[in-house]
Amino acid sequence: MFDLNKNNKNAAAQQELKAQLEALRSKSGTKVEEERIEGVDKSVLDHAAAPREVQLTHDIAAAREKYRAASSDEDKKAAMKHISDLEMRLAMEKEKNAKNR
């Protein structure tokens, strides 16, 4: 038989995951990739999002950490260039996904 309660629970769980994912996306800080939200593993949230956008978001966080750790001006310039490149790619990916929806 078809269990309506089970389907409702699954739909509610998906909505909760989406809300938590949006909360993660709205954070501009670092260490997002290390965070767990109320016992939900990051990989579960990643599967609910567009995979390329998630990967780019994690890459940007790592590049920002690299910038903070850079000691020379040359290293900082290279890190900033990498960050701007990743941010541009993320914006392009978001735009592409928005058009496909």
Side-chain angles (χ1 to χ4, degrees):
M1 280 253 146
F2 203 44
D3 187 4
L4 291 177
N5 287 333
K6 184 177 180 181
N7 287 338
N8 289 339
K9 288 177 185 176
N10 287 341
Q14 284 180 336
Q15 287 296 86
E16 183 178 343
L17 285 176
K18 286 180 183 179
Q20 291 173 350
L21 179 63
E22 287 304 315
L24 271 179
R25 283 183 178 165
S26 68
K27 291 184 179 184
S28 59
T30 59
K31 300 190 188 293
V32 172
E33 64 275 3
E34 296 174 8
E35 203 171 272
R36 288 177 179 248
I37 299 179
E38 296 177 17
V40 177
D41 191 2
K42 171 186 66 75
S43 63
V44 174
L45 297 175
D46 289 351
H47 289 293
R52 182 71 181 140
E53 284 184 42
V54 171
Q55 183 60 48
L56 286 168
T57 303
H58 293 289
D59 292 347
I60 290 170
R64 286 184 178 147
E65 284 297 317
K66 188 174 181 179
Y67 172 78
R68 286 187 190 94
S71 56
S72 71
D73 288 338
E74 191 173 299
D75 290 342
K76 286 189 178 203
K77 279 185 182 179
M80 282 302 294
K81 184 177 178 181
H82 186 62
I83 290 168
S84 65
D85 179 57
L86 291 171
E87 287 175 340
M88 180 184 65
R89 290 173 190 234
L90 178 61
M92 289 169 41
E93 192 69 28
K94 285 182 178 180
E95 184 177 327
K96 182 179 90 173
N97 290 336
K99 286 181 182 178
N100 291 336
R101 289 183 187 164

